Amino acid sequence: MNSAARPPAMSDVAALAGVSHQTVSRVLNDHPSVRPETRERVTEAILQLGYRRNSAARTLVTRRSGTLGVVTPATALYGPTSTLVGLEEAARVVGWFVSVATIRQFDGDSMHTALEHFLGQGVDGIAIIAPTTEVAQAIAAIASPVPVVLISSASDVPPVPHLHAVGVDQRHGARLATQHLLDQGFPDVVHVAGPQDWFDAQDRLAGWREVSGPGAPEHIEAGWDAADGYELGLRMVREGLPAAIFAANDQLALGLLHAFWEQGVRVPDDVAVVGFDDEVGAAHYTPPLTTVRQDFGALGRLAVGSLQAAFAGEDVARQQIPAELVVRASSVRRV
Amino acid sequence: MNSAARPPAMSDVAALAGVSHQTVSRVLNDHPSVRPETRERVTEAILQLGYRRNSAARTLVTRRSGTLGVVTPATALYGPTSTLVGLEEAARVVGWFVSVATIRQFDGDSMHTALEHFLGQGVDGIAIIAPTTEVAQAIAAIASPVPVVLISSASDVPPVPHLHAVGVDQRHGARLATQHLLDQGFPDVVHVAGPQDWFDAQDRLAGWREVSGPGAPEHIEAGWDAADGYELGLRMVREGLPAAIFAANDQLALGLLHAFWEQGVRVPDDVAVVGFDDEVGAAHYTPPLTTVRQDFGALGRLAVGSLQAAFAGEDVARQQIPAELVVRASSVRRV
DNA sequence: GGCACCGGGGTGAGCGCTCACACGGGCGCG
DNA sequence: CGCGCCCGTGTGAGCGCTCACCCCGGTGCC
């Protein structure tokens, strides 16, 4: 075993197969003009030596690393992590590696650090699971030599060169949820909105407003956490319950359900609740939660496709994926 | 602007600063013997040119990519995603990049593909969020030229060179949960176990058995999903309720709570429930769930530390982190 | 028969960096 | 005063690959 010494290089394979290093390269890159028997000889030498192409050398000369950098918030939240998984799978299909950087804060500094991190690494493209307006502004301010795709529903991403944007149509999802509640006969629908510096929160609010109309009550702004929903739920019980609530995500809805259950308020009889995300477990909340599902697999594919288009020099418009309503017990009054 | 042409190289910086490329390299690598004024001149040239060190070239010559490969299941499950986040943060602290590969199945083929993927990329080390025995066996069968750390509670990982293992002490956590229920005065504790090809499930079962003793009723094996817990809960209601249940994860517990709530069984009055994971939202289940929390940040640091030790040639034993019990309403009978 | 052309394959340069080593000058010390 | 040593810096090789180009021999066509 010479395992520890130095991994085999292309020249070693070439020597063993009795060809030039260039022929080995041709075999590796599926170049057509190699005789089948030569190809086979090379392939066997590769196997025998346990040869693996050195990607650093390849990257050095081609100036392409085949790596996609993904910036994601440092949380185990359902949306971002699902998006990450979707991205990884889509990237792998087209032969890209995925490198990850998490950020704790969405300020310009963190974003700048993360981008530098990736650019120094030589990624070919960057995807940013970028929820807040602040992030978007930070991105816009940084001149990236590689294409960047912003994954968010941002309806108003500033038009920056190299900056694409894809997302699930949050507004559409919010319309579905709100309309569903209205269709159930609830006279009006209160919206518990997420932090308004998040695009998703903005768009869910906008979708709700489109359907509920100008006469609807004001929305209530909250965070994303179940604790926020819980506090709010308790306050509602004290100050008066609406007929129906559209919560900006499932965690908020979960907190509301908790508060209502604790206070003896029945859902959906006393108040109907709809969430957003269809988190793992949402089908087993008490009661099972009506919510809006996003196709993160499709989202990942869309993001990757968008980057590929960017490489090809195409100027892709913003692309959106429709959302899907999942109706469960929390919004359907028993007859 | 010559931006599109070719990114500036070390030699460009050197020319601008009036030094040799080697001096630039020394500045970049914080080599002590550079005069402060020279250093400053170089630094300024770097800034002026927007120079970024080409990591491919660096990797090529040093044979170190500074990249950690992480293999993780392709799910948004709380445990794996939290571990991933913990790993990324720990890796970044020591200056490593994190590259991710997700796998859908835990068979040897998938693992082999993922490892080849990383080895071809030239990672310096690999962390495997490796839940099943099958994965561990697959790893053991692959000779990796770089250190591999298995992140799992596996008590019986086969001793393979270069294969380290770290984890949260699942058995300890299970003992805490079970003992807590016994301390509350519940005569016996039924365990709803996870899939027994998962290390975590095995160890949680083992910990439960250690405390509950041989006289305890048989455990019930299930999956990891809330749906499994729900089915089981319904069956328990039909066939007879235990006094207390220790579920192998929070999702199972959530399903149980759902079934019980639906059937009018009160928790914890009729049956107490404890979960495992302390997922986001567990504090707002109905009722709030007593569960076992794992410190994923510490886990990531431990894994990274273990790899660093491997680089240093140390032969590190398996390392475990204690778990922590979080008591909430689902297991505490109201007085 | 001469020439173009194409399949199959080889040669050499160079990507941008680090490493080993060389080199000159100042300083301490015998 | 001479020698050695260290500080600060430069020189050149080479990491393993791809790209541009060259070369040779067989085939088809005028």
Side-chain angles (χ1 to χ4, degrees):
Chain A
M1 290 277 287
N2 59 345
S3 69
R6 175 177 66 81
M10 209 171 249
S11 55
D12 299 324
V13 176
L16 181 59
V19 296
S20 77
H21 64 120
Q22 175 63 334
T23 299
V24 178
S25 172
R26 277 192 263 259
V27 169
L28 254 43
N29 294 320
D30 280 327
H31 192 283
S33 63
V34 176
R35 249 185 312 162
E37 57 205 68
T38 309
R39 183 181 300 273
E40 190 168 338
R41 213 145 26 96
V42 170
T43 309
E44 191 167 334
I46 288 175
L47 248 56
Q48 193 175 327
L49 262 51
Y51 168 77
R52 259 187 295 263
R53 182 212 255 127
N54 182 319
S55 71
R58 182 175 219 225
T59 297
L60 181 58
V61 46
T62 59
R63 296 181 192 289
R64 304 194 121 238
S65 61
T67 300
L68 171 65
V70 177
V71 181
T72 182
T75 76
L77 281 179
Y78 185 71
T81 56
S82 301
T83 305
L84 176 59
V85 171
L87 270 174
E88 198 279 340
E89 301 201 314
R92 183 134 49 136
V93 167
V94 302
W96 287 346
F97 299 95
V98 167
S99 194
V100 175
T102 61
I103 54 176
R104 289 220 159 274
Q105 284 162 350
F106 300 126
D107 54 59
D109 265 9
S110 304
M111 280 308 310
H112 197 268
T113 306
L115 286 206
E116 277 300 322
H117 174 98
F118 281 141
L119 294 176
Q121 198 188 7
V123 299
D124 292 342
I126 296 177
I128 301 175
I129 302 178
T132 69
T133 47
E134 193 169 5
V135 166
Q137 283 160 4
I139 305 303
I142 298 173
S144 164
V146 302
V148 175
V149 61
L150 210 59
I151 301 185
S152 86
S153 57
S155 354
D156 53 351
V157 173
V160 177
H162 290 302
L163 187 54
H164 296 231
V166 302
V168 173
D169 192 338
Q170 307 292 326
R171 200 177 290 213
H172 170 240
R175 283 197 304 264
L176 288 178
T178 310
Q179 191 61 57
H180 162 72
L181 285 168
L182 293 177
D183 290 349
Q184 297 295 307
F186 299 107
D188 50 40
V189 177
V190 165
H191 180 48
V192 176
Q196 287 300 301
D197 52 338
W198 287 57
F199 291 123
D200 287 357
Q202 289 172 15
D203 283 349
R204 290 172 197 175
L205 171 59
W208 163 78
R209 187 163 291 291
E210 280 176 39
V211 173
S212 64
E218 259 315 290
H219 69 277
I220 305 166
E221 189 172 336
W224 283 127
D225 296 342
D228 298 319
Y230 177 70
E231 292 298 330
L232 212 59
L234 293 182
R235 208 174 81 200
M236 283 178 173
V237 173
R238 281 198 311 272
E239 302 180 358
L241 282 173
I245 305 173
F246 165 42
N249 78 347
D250 285 356
Q251 285 291 314
L252 282 170
L254 178 63
L256 290 170
L257 294 180
H258 177 205
F260 294 154
W261 167 84
E262 189 184 280
Q263 300 296 317
V265 173
R266 293 165 307 162
V267 177
D269 305 81
D270 299 331
V271 53
V273 176
V274 171
F276 206 114
D277 274 350
D278 196 21
E279 289 192 350
V280 172
H284 294 276
Y285 292 171
T286 50
L289 186 66
T290 295
T291 186
V292 178
R293 181 183 294 162
Q294 315 184 47
D295 185 345
F296 293 108
L299 183 58
R301 289 189 292 276
L302 193 61
V304 169
S306 174
L307 285 174
Q308 288 187 302
F311 293 138
E314 300 167 30
D315 201 22
V316 179
R318 226 160 55 73
Q319 288 181 286
Q320 298 250 28
I321 296 175
E324 180 193 357
L325 184 72
V326 181
V327 178
R328 300 202 182 96
S330 71
S331 65
V332 181
R333 217 158 261 187
R334 283 152 279 197
V335 279
Chain B
M1 290 278 286
N2 57 345
S3 69
R6 176 177 66 81
M10 210 171 247
S11 56
D12 299 325
V13 176
L16 180 60
V19 296
S20 77
H21 63 118
Q22 176 62 335
T23 299
V24 178
S25 172
R26 278 191 263 259
V27 170
L28 253 42
N29 295 319
D30 280 326
H31 191 284
S33 63
V34 176
R35 248 187 312 162
E37 58 205 66
T38 309
R39 183 180 300 274
E40 190 168 339
R41 212 142 29 94
V42 170
T43 309
E44 192 166 334
I46 288 175
L47 248 56
Q48 192 174 329
L49 262 51
Y51 168 76
R52 255 186 298 262
R53 181 212 257 127
N54 182 319
S55 72
R58 182 174 219 222
T59 297
L60 181 59
V61 44
T62 59
R63 295 181 193 288
R64 304 193 121 239
S65 62
T67 300
L68 171 65
V70 177
V71 180
T72 181
T75 75
L77 282 178
Y78 185 70
T81 55
S82 301
T83 306
L84 176 59
V85 170
L87 271 173
E88 199 279 340
E89 301 200 315
R92 183 133 52 133
V93 167
V94 302
W96 288 346
F97 298 96
V98 166
S99 194
V100 175
T102 62
I103 54 176
R104 288 220 158 275
Q105 283 161 350
F106 300 126
D107 54 60
D109 265 9
S110 304
M111 279 310 309
H112 196 268
T113 306
L115 285 207
E116 276 302 320
H117 173 99
F118 280 141
L119 293 177
Q121 198 189 5
V123 298
D124 292 341
I126 297 177
I128 301 176
I129 303 177
T132 70
T133 47
E134 193 168 4
V135 166
Q137 283 160 5
I139 306 303
I142 298 173
S144 163
V146 303
V148 175
V149 62
L150 209 60
I151 301 184
S152 86
S153 56
S155 350
D156 54 354
V157 173
V160 178
H162 290 305
L163 187 54
H164 296 231
V166 301
V168 172
D169 193 339
Q170 306 293 323
R171 200 177 291 214
H172 171 239
R175 283 196 303 264
L176 288 179
T178 310
Q179 191 61 55
H180 162 73
L181 285 169
L182 294 177
D183 290 350
Q184 296 295 307
F186 299 108
D188 50 40
V189 178
V190 165
H191 180 47
V192 176
Q196 286 301 300
D197 53 337
W198 286 57
F199 290 123
D200 287 357
Q202 289 171 15
D203 283 348
R204 290 172 197 176
L205 171 59
W208 164 78
R209 188 164 292 290
E210 280 176 39
V211 172
S212 64
E218 260 313 291
H219 69 277
I220 306 168
E221 189 172 335
W224 282 128
D225 296 341
D228 299 317
Y230 177 70
E231 292 298 328
L232 212 60
L234 292 183
R235 207 174 82 201
M236 284 177 172
V237 173
R238 282 198 311 272
E239 302 179 358
L241 281 173
I245 305 174
F246 166 41
N249 77 347
D250 285 356
Q251 284 291 313
L252 282 170
L254 178 62
L256 290 169
L257 293 180
H258 176 204
F260 295 154
W261 167 83
E262 188 184 281
Q263 300 296 317
V265 173
R266 293 166 306 163
V267 177
D269 305 81
D270 299 329
V271 55
V273 176
V274 171
F276 206 113
D277 273 350
D278 197 20
E279 289 191 350
V280 171
H284 294 277
Y285 291 171
T286 51
L289 185 67
T290 295
T291 185
V292 178
R293 181 182 297 162
Q294 314 183 47
D295 185 345
F296 292 107
L299 183 57
R301 288 190 292 277
L302 193 60
V304 168
S306 175
L307 285 174
Q308 288 188 303
F311 293 138
E314 301 167 29
D315 200 22
V316 179
R318 223 159 58 71
Q319 288 181 288
Q320 299 251 26
I321 297 174
E324 179 195 357
L325 184 73
V326 181
V327 178
R328 300 203 182 96
S330 70
S331 66
V332 181
R333 217 158 260 187
R334 283 152 278 196
V335 280

